[in-house]
Amino acid sequence: MEILSLRSARRLALCRAGLLKPQWTGLPKRANRARGRDKQARDAAYSVVRRFGYLQLDTVSIAGARSHTIVLLSRLEGMDPALGEQLLQPGEPVFEYWGHEASWIPIELYPAFEFRRREFLGLHPWWGNVVARNREVALRLRRRIREEGPLRSVDMEGKGSSGWWDLKVVKRVALALWSSGELAISERKNFQKTYDLTERVIPESVRSWPLAKHEALEVLLLKALDGHGWAPTGTLVQTWRLVNRKKEIAATLDRLVERGAIVSCALEVAAGRPVPGWIRPRDLELAARLERIRPRKDRGVLLSPFDPLLWDRQRVKRLFEFEQMLEVFKPVSKRVYGYYCLPVLAGERLVARFDLKADRKSGALRVLSCRFEGTGSRHPASIADGEAARTALERYAKALGLQPRGWHLRSPSRVRTAELRP
């Protein structure tokens, strides 16, 4: 079994996540929003999606952009935030499906989800056999889309609140048909889904060669490692929600080891036994090189709370000693940091978190709170941390075309200790 130091695993995670210099990550640095460069910007965004194999979708936009847009903004300087909402369009190389959660996924992975579509045939992950219970609704919905063309979820209107065209029931049936692959989501406008027949959305070239389950699991586990660098089995499983498949996952990992595609690798920890996990041989070599680099002085960047680097809270705790928290569903009185906090990455450390609220009418990005790690207060542990937080906030606000309000960091050249003031 190979052994990986904490520093190497942390830097490898940042590298594979596209959060180090492009010379290490292999991803573009910019997505220029200038006129005539739209294809370049879209290609840059798609390269980020391909790295992870998914771009998780989320509806919350209080911070001025939704999670999927924030993930792209944190990696692609100069990107127009509007692009983050427009990646899914007819003819583009992504499709929407259940990945980590509901996600935009590279079109080349469509065959790898055939087993999931079959498992969801007539079912929905939350509502069970909703199609069988509402056969007439499903029949008429299919017919309407076939004859009238793509149908937006917002246009699934009926007369009254009950009967075969009950809006709530129709939307659930549509989601079930999408889960089983009978329908596809062709695009989103203002985050509203548009449904169409799968054969009119997904190219025949990828529909015609579905992968067997054992092949699909190999593809998905390798793609998960592509985005993580090093990861324990649990992280790989949760990347694609491959739950209740313990024997299949173990057999798949064994096959990948036999082929030399991955190696067993344990993570050193300060106390206790090393944490078993997996890594690709080429990433093991990359980790060794990253161990020797001199950490750059980073200006700071804001990350989405659903960033691929952050959603596995146990892994974040191990690699960064950072307690990632999502408090959207907590009552106000029980929140520690805020409603929708964006962590600040500075170099290879997570140093603070902002709770933000965008006010488009006034052109302001309001800071509801800023908390620094290791200090228990609004005050940064060092001038460098304060500067990283300031530049991260300013970079994000500039990308959104807003002015930060409610927070100010006095110039470190004038004071010994960075100071926050409302």
Side-chain angles (χ1 to χ4, degrees):
M1 180 183 292
E2 300 287 346
I3 300 293
L4 200 63
S5 72
L6 182 61
R7 176 189 293 174
S8 293
R10 180 171 58 246
R11 291 180 178 177
L12 180 62
L14 291 169
C15 182
R16 298 310 301 167
L19 292 166
L20 292 184
K21 291 181 178 179
Q23 69 189 70
W24 293 104
T25 67
L27 294 175
K29 181 179 180 180
R30 297 190 60 83
N32 200 314
R33 73 170 81 195
R35 181 172 297 178
R37 298 292 298 278
D38 183 64
K39 184 179 185 304
Q40 181 268 346
R42 298 185 76 86
D43 288 346
Y46 292 137
S47 69
V48 174
V49 180
R50 287 192 177 97
R51 170 59 56 86
F52 301 109
Y54 64 92
L55 183 61
Q56 181 180 341
L57 303 176
D58 187 68
T59 61
V60 179
S61 59
I62 189 172
R66 295 183 177 91
S67 175
H68 39 285
T69 297
I70 298 172
V71 169
L72 297 175
L73 288 174
S74 65
R75 289 154 173 84
L76 301 172
E77 293 183 14
M79 191 192 89
D80 186 344
L83 177 59
E85 299 293 331
Q86 300 167 359
L87 288 184
L88 184 69
Q89 292 184 7
E92 296 292 358
V94 291
F95 70 103
E96 184 168 329
Y97 195 60
W98 298 114
H100 173 66
E101 298 288 352
S103 305
W104 289 338
I105 301 172
I107 195 67
E108 57 266 24
L109 287 181
Y110 187 85
F113 290 94
E114 178 64 16
F115 75 95
R116 180 161 288 170
R117 291 189 289 270
R118 290 186 178 184
E119 290 174 350
F120 287 154
L121 191 61
L123 303 174
H124 185 276
W126 305 328
W127 306 309
N129 205 348
V130 66
V131 174
R133 295 195 303 268
N134 301 275
R135 293 187 184 278
E136 186 66 18
V137 173
L139 179 64
R140 297 193 185 193
L141 179 60
R142 292 189 192 100
R143 182 183 301 156
R144 182 176 175 185
I145 292 175
R146 184 181 303 109
E147 296 175 355
E148 299 178 17
L151 181 65
R152 295 187 305 168
S153 56
V154 72
D155 291 331
M156 292 180 180
E157 299 176 351
K159 298 178 180 179
S161 59
S162 61
W164 76 269
W165 201 249
D166 178 274
L167 183 57
K168 185 175 181 180
V169 171
V170 174
K171 287 188 175 181
R172 289 186 175 186
V173 169
L175 283 170
L177 294 175
W178 167 70
S179 298
S180 65
E182 295 182 67
L183 296 179
I185 297 173
S186 60
E187 64 181 329
R188 281 182 181 258
K189 291 184 178 179
N190 298 322
F191 209 61
Q192 286 288 330
K193 296 183 287 287
T194 297
Y195 291 95
D196 201 352
L197 300 180
T198 299
E199 57 265 32
R200 297 201 296 230
V201 177
I202 306 299
E204 195 274 337
S205 59
V206 295
R207 285 189 288 112
S208 61
W209 55 286
L211 293 179
K213 185 190 292 187
H214 72 278
E215 296 175 302
L217 292 179
E218 292 178 7
V219 169
L220 293 177
L221 292 180
L222 283 175
K223 177 49 68 175
L225 271 178
D226 201 27
H228 293 306
W230 171 90
T233 301
T235 298
L236 301 182
V237 168
Q238 289 302 323
T239 300
W240 304 110
R241 304 302 189 210
L242 300 171
V243 296
N244 301 322
R245 306 174 193 272
K246 188 174 182 179
K247 291 183 179 180
E248 291 177 299
I249 296 298
T252 303
L253 292 170
D254 286 343
R255 290 195 304 273
L256 292 174
V257 170
E258 290 175 5
R259 292 213 318 257
I262 65 173
V263 295
S264 177
C265 181
L267 175 69
E268 284 185 332
V269 293
R273 305 170 73 176
V275 180
W278 309 94
I279 194 172
R280 300 177 307 172
R282 64 187 181 189
D283 281 342
L284 190 61
E285 297 173 1
L286 175 59
R289 297 199 301 272
L290 290 169
E291 175 83 25
R292 299 189 292 269
I293 68 172
R294 183 177 180 180
R296 69 173 183 173
K297 182 179 180 182
D298 198 281
R299 294 180 300 144
V301 62
L302 288 180
L303 300 181
S304 160
F306 297 108
D307 194 281
L309 187 73
L310 299 178
W311 58 255
D312 187 334
R313 298 178 187 179
Q314 187 174 14
R315 183 169 178 269
V316 175
K317 178 65 175 177
R318 284 187 184 128
L319 297 185
F320 296 92
E321 297 183 351
F322 184 84
E323 292 283 356
Q324 170 61 0
M325 298 179 68
L326 184 64
E327 301 183 283
V328 170
F329 303 108
K330 289 183 179 180
V332 175
S333 61
K334 294 186 178 181
R335 293 175 193 156
V336 177
Y337 298 105
Y339 175 75
Y340 193 80
C341 284
L342 280 64
V344 177
L345 175 68
E348 56 186 296
R349 297 181 303 118
L350 293 165
V351 301
R353 48 193 116 198
F354 280 103
D355 188 23
L356 304 173
K357 183 176 182 179
D359 185 346
R360 293 287 181 182
K361 289 185 178 180
S362 65
L365 181 65
R366 302 194 182 281
V367 178
L368 305 182
S369 71
C370 176
R371 295 283 293 275
F372 285 86
E373 291 297 295
T375 64
S377 72
R378 298 184 304 161
H379 297 271
S382 68
I383 292 176
D385 289 353
E387 280 292 280
R390 180 180 64 81
T391 55
L393 176 64
E394 290 177 348
R395 172 183 169 182
Y396 179 69
K398 181 179 179 181
L400 298 180
L402 301 174
Q403 289 294 323
R405 294 284 186 268
W407 187 81
H408 176 68
L409 180 68
R410 288 165 58 185
S411 170
S413 62
R414 297 183 181 180
V415 291
R416 286 190 173 185
T417 304
E419 176 184 279
L420 291 168
R421 71 171 185 235

